[in-house]
Amino acid sequence: MAYLWAADEPTWTVRFFFTNLDAVLEDPATGSACANLGGWHIAQRRAPMSATLRQGDAVGRPSRLGLRVDADGGIYVTGSVIELGRGSVHL
């Protein structure tokens, strides 16, 4: 897997590639990777920060995600989604 970004303020271009059998595919919107990018900013001491992330344009499924990292370490990801599944885990 590879998550790439170009930080052009205030909108960033991001791309997430992964393999499936012998193919390299691109995810049009990756909220979990967006949250991990927020964690990277915390680890690099680049918080607080916020950005709009453009993803999926190259595969014909443009999406926009919002990323905000607060000074206290809170990470927030926003965006519209089409729900493909739902579940819960009980411990």
Side-chain angles (χ1 to χ4, degrees):
M1 293 186 283
Y3 190 62
L4 311 170
W5 71 93
D8 298 323
E9 302 294 337
T11 302
W12 301 7
T13 300
V14 298
R15 299 181 78 180
F16 181 73
F17 298 96
F18 61 96
T19 58
N20 184 8
L21 301 175
D22 292 330
V24 176
L25 304 173
E26 183 172 354
D27 192 341
T30 316
S32 59
C34 183
N36 287 330
L37 181 58
W40 182 85
H41 276 81
I42 292 170
Q44 298 298 311
R45 302 190 195 294
R46 296 182 179 187
M49 60 78 61
S50 65
T52 298
L53 308 180
R54 299 171 52 113
Q55 188 174 351
D57 294 355
V59 293
R61 294 177 58 195
S63 65
R64 303 296 175 261
L65 298 170
L67 173 61
R68 187 180 87 228
V69 181
D70 291 343
D72 64 357
I75 300 171
Y76 302 90
V77 176
T78 61
S80 298
V81 299
I82 297 171
E83 185 173 326
L84 299 177
R86 181 184 294 239
S88 62
V89 175
H90 299 277
L91 301 176

